[in-house]
Coordinates of all heavy atoms in Angstrom, one line a residue:
L758 N 82.9 160.8 143.0 CA 83.3 159.6 142.3 C 83.9 158.6 143.3 O 83.8 157.4 143.0 CB 84.3 160.0 141.2 CG 83.9 160.9 140.1 CD1 85.0 161.2 139.1 CD2 82.7 160.3 139.3
L759 N 84.8 159.1 144.3 CA 85.6 158.1 145.0 C 85.9 158.6 146.3 O 86.1 159.9 146.5 CB 86.9 157.9 144.2 CG 87.9 157.0 144.7 CD1 87.4 155.5 144.8 CD2 89.3 157.2 144.0
H760 N 85.8 157.7 147.3 CA 86.3 158.1 148.7 C 87.4 157.2 149.1 O 87.2 156.1 149.7 CB 85.1 158.0 149.6 CG 84.0 158.9 149.5 ND1 82.9 158.9 150.4 CD2 83.9 160.0 148.6 CE1 82.0 160.0 149.9 NE2 82.6 160.5 148.9
P761 N 88.7 157.5 148.7 CA 89.8 156.6 149.0 C 90.2 156.7 150.5 O 90.0 157.8 151.0 CB 90.9 157.0 148.1 CG 90.6 158.5 147.9 CD 89.1 158.7 147.9
L762 N 90.7 155.6 151.0 CA 91.1 155.7 152.4 C 92.6 155.3 152.4 O 93.0 154.3 152.0 CB 90.4 154.6 153.2 CG 90.6 154.5 154.7 CD1 90.1 155.8 155.4 CD2 89.9 153.3 155.3
F763 N 93.4 156.3 152.9 CA 94.8 156.1 152.9 C 95.4 155.7 154.3 O 94.9 156.3 155.3 CB 95.6 157.4 152.4 CG 95.2 157.7 151.0 CD1 94.2 158.8 150.7 CD2 95.8 157.1 149.9 CE1 94.0 159.1 149.4 CE2 95.4 157.5 148.6 CZ 94.6 158.5 148.4
N764 N 96.4 154.9 154.2 CA 97.0 154.7 155.6 C 98.5 154.4 155.4 O 98.9 153.8 154.5 CB 96.4 153.3 156.1 CG 96.7 153.1 157.6 OD1 97.3 154.0 158.2 ND2 96.2 151.9 158.2
G765 N 99.3 155.0 156.2 CA 100.8 154.8 156.1 C 101.5 156.1 156.5 O 100.9 157.0 157.2
T766 N 102.7 156.3 156.1 CA 103.6 157.5 156.6 C 104.1 158.2 155.4 O 105.1 159.0 155.6 CB 104.7 156.9 157.4 OG1 105.5 156.0 156.6 CG2 104.3 156.4 158.7
G767 N 103.7 158.0 154.1 CA 104.2 158.7 153.0 C 103.3 160.0 152.6 O 102.6 160.4 153.4
T768 N 103.5 160.4 151.4 CA 102.8 161.6 151.0 C 102.1 161.3 149.7 O 102.8 160.8 148.7 CB 103.8 162.8 150.7 OG1 104.3 163.2 152.0 CG2 103.0 164.0 150.3
V769 N 100.9 161.5 149.6 CA 100.1 161.3 148.3 C 100.1 162.6 147.6 O 99.7 163.7 148.0 CB 98.7 160.9 148.6 CG1 97.9 160.7 147.4 CG2 98.6 159.6 149.4
S770 N 100.5 162.6 146.3 CA 100.7 163.8 145.4 C 99.7 163.8 144.2 O 99.5 164.8 143.6 CB 102.1 164.0 145.0 OG 102.6 162.9 144.3
Q771 N 99.3 162.5 143.8 CA 98.4 162.4 142.6 C 97.6 161.2 142.7 O 98.0 160.2 143.2 CB 99.4 162.5 141.4 CG 98.6 162.4 140.1 CD 99.6 162.5 138.9 OE1 100.0 163.7 138.5 NE2 100.0 161.4 138.4
I772 N 96.3 161.3 142.1 CA 95.4 160.2 142.0 C 95.1 160.0 140.5 O 94.8 161.0 139.9 CB 94.1 160.4 142.8 CG1 94.5 160.7 144.3 CG2 93.2 159.2 142.6 CD1 93.3 161.0 145.1
T773 N 95.1 158.8 140.1 CA 94.8 158.5 138.7 C 93.6 157.7 138.6 O 93.5 156.6 139.2 CB 96.0 157.7 138.0 OG1 97.2 158.6 137.9 CG2 95.6 157.4 136.5
L774 N 92.6 158.1 137.8 CA 91.3 157.5 137.7 C 91.2 157.0 136.2 O 91.6 157.7 135.3 CB 90.2 158.4 138.0 CG 90.0 159.0 139.4 CD1 88.8 159.8 139.6 CD2 90.1 157.8 140.5
Q775 N 90.6 155.8 136.0 CA 90.4 155.3 134.6 C 89.0 154.8 134.4 O 88.4 154.2 135.2 CB 91.3 154.1 134.4 CG 91.3 153.5 132.9 CD 92.4 152.5 132.7 OE1 93.3 152.4 133.4 NE2 92.1 151.8 131.6
R776 N 88.5 155.3 133.3 CA 87.1 154.8 132.9 C 87.0 154.6 131.3 O 87.6 155.4 130.5 CB 86.0 155.9 133.3 CG 86.1 157.2 132.5 CD 84.8 158.1 132.8 NE 84.9 159.3 132.0 CZ 84.4 159.4 130.8 NH1 83.9 158.4 130.2 NH2 84.5 160.5 130.1
T777 N 86.4 153.6 130.9 CA 86.2 153.2 129.6 C 87.5 153.5 128.6 O 87.4 154.1 127.6 CB 85.0 154.1 128.9 OG1 84.0 154.2 129.8 CG2 84.5 153.5 127.7
G778 N 88.6 153.0 129.2 CA 89.8 153.1 128.4 C 90.5 154.4 128.4 O 91.6 154.5 127.9
R779 N 89.9 155.4 129.0 CA 90.6 156.7 129.1 C 91.2 156.9 130.5 O 90.6 156.5 131.4 CB 89.5 157.9 128.9 CG 89.0 157.9 127.5 CD 88.0 159.1 127.3 NE 87.4 159.1 126.0 CZ 86.5 159.9 125.6 NH1 86.1 161.0 126.4 NH2 86.0 159.9 124.3
V780 N 92.3 157.5 130.5 CA 93.0 157.8 131.7 C 92.9 159.2 132.0 O 93.3 160.1 131.2 CB 94.5 157.3 131.7 CG1 95.2 157.6 133.0 CG2 94.5 155.8 131.5
H781 N 92.5 159.6 133.3 CA 92.5 161.0 133.7 C 93.3 161.1 134.9 O 93.2 160.4 135.9 CB 91.0 161.4 134.0 CG 90.1 161.3 132.8 ND1 89.9 162.3 132.0 CD2 89.4 160.2 132.3 CE1 89.1 162.0 131.0 NE2 88.8 160.7 131.2
Q782 N 94.3 162.2 135.0 CA 95.0 162.5 136.1 C 94.5 163.7 136.8 O 94.3 164.7 136.1 CB 96.5 162.6 135.8 CG 97.2 161.4 135.3 CD 98.6 161.5 135.1 OE1 99.2 162.6 135.0 NE2 99.4 160.4 135.1
Y783 N 94.3 163.6 138.1 CA 93.8 164.7 138.9 C 94.9 165.0 140.0 O 95.3 164.2 140.7 CB 92.5 164.4 139.6 CG 91.5 163.9 138.7 CD1 91.3 162.6 138.2 CD2 90.5 164.9 138.2 CE1 90.3 162.3 137.3 CE2 89.6 164.5 137.2 CZ 89.4 163.2 136.9 OH 88.4 162.9 136.0
S784 N 95.3 166.3 140.0 CA 96.3 166.7 141.0 C 95.4 167.1 142.2 O 94.3 167.7 142.2 CB 97.0 168.0 140.6 OG 97.8 167.6 139.4
C785 N 96.0 166.8 143.4 CA 95.3 167.1 144.6 C 95.2 168.5 144.9 O 96.2 169.3 144.7 CB 96.0 166.5 145.8 SG 96.3 164.7 145.6
K786 N 94.1 169.1 145.3 CA 93.9 170.5 145.8 C 94.7 170.7 147.1 O 95.2 171.7 147.3 CB 92.5 170.8 146.0 CG 91.8 170.9 144.6 CD 90.3 171.3 144.7 CE 89.6 171.4 143.4 NZ 88.2 171.8 143.6
Q787 N 94.7 169.6 147.9 CA 95.3 169.6 149.3 C 96.0 168.3 149.4 O 95.4 167.4 149.9 CB 94.4 170.0 150.4 CG 93.9 171.4 150.4 CD 93.0 171.6 151.6 OE1 92.2 170.8 152.0 NE2 93.3 172.8 152.2
C788 N 97.2 168.2 148.9 CA 97.9 166.9 149.1 C 98.7 167.0 150.4 O 99.8 167.6 150.4 CB 98.8 166.7 147.9 SG 97.9 166.5 146.3
L789 N 98.3 166.3 151.3 CA 98.8 166.3 152.7 C 99.5 165.1 153.1 O 99.2 164.0 152.5 CB 97.8 166.7 153.7 CG 97.0 167.9 153.5 CD1 95.9 168.0 154.6 CD2 97.9 169.2 153.6

């Protein structure tokens, strides 16, 4: 679905995707 590109010095713990009015939250399998 998605290839995000992150840049910075923080930590990404969760990504939220939205389609057709529905919100789905996905927890990272490897949040580094």
Side-chain angles (χ1 to χ4, degrees):
L758 301 177
L759 181 67
H760 292 181
L762 187 65
F763 298 100
N764 195 2
T766 58
T768 300
V769 177
S770 59
Q771 183 174 274
I772 301 173
T773 300
L774 303 179
Q775 182 173 347
R776 69 171 181 85
T777 320
R779 295 181 181 180
V780 176
H781 299 267
Q782 290 187 343
Y783 300 87
S784 295
C785 303
K786 292 182 178 179
Q787 288 183 316
C788 294
L789 302 176

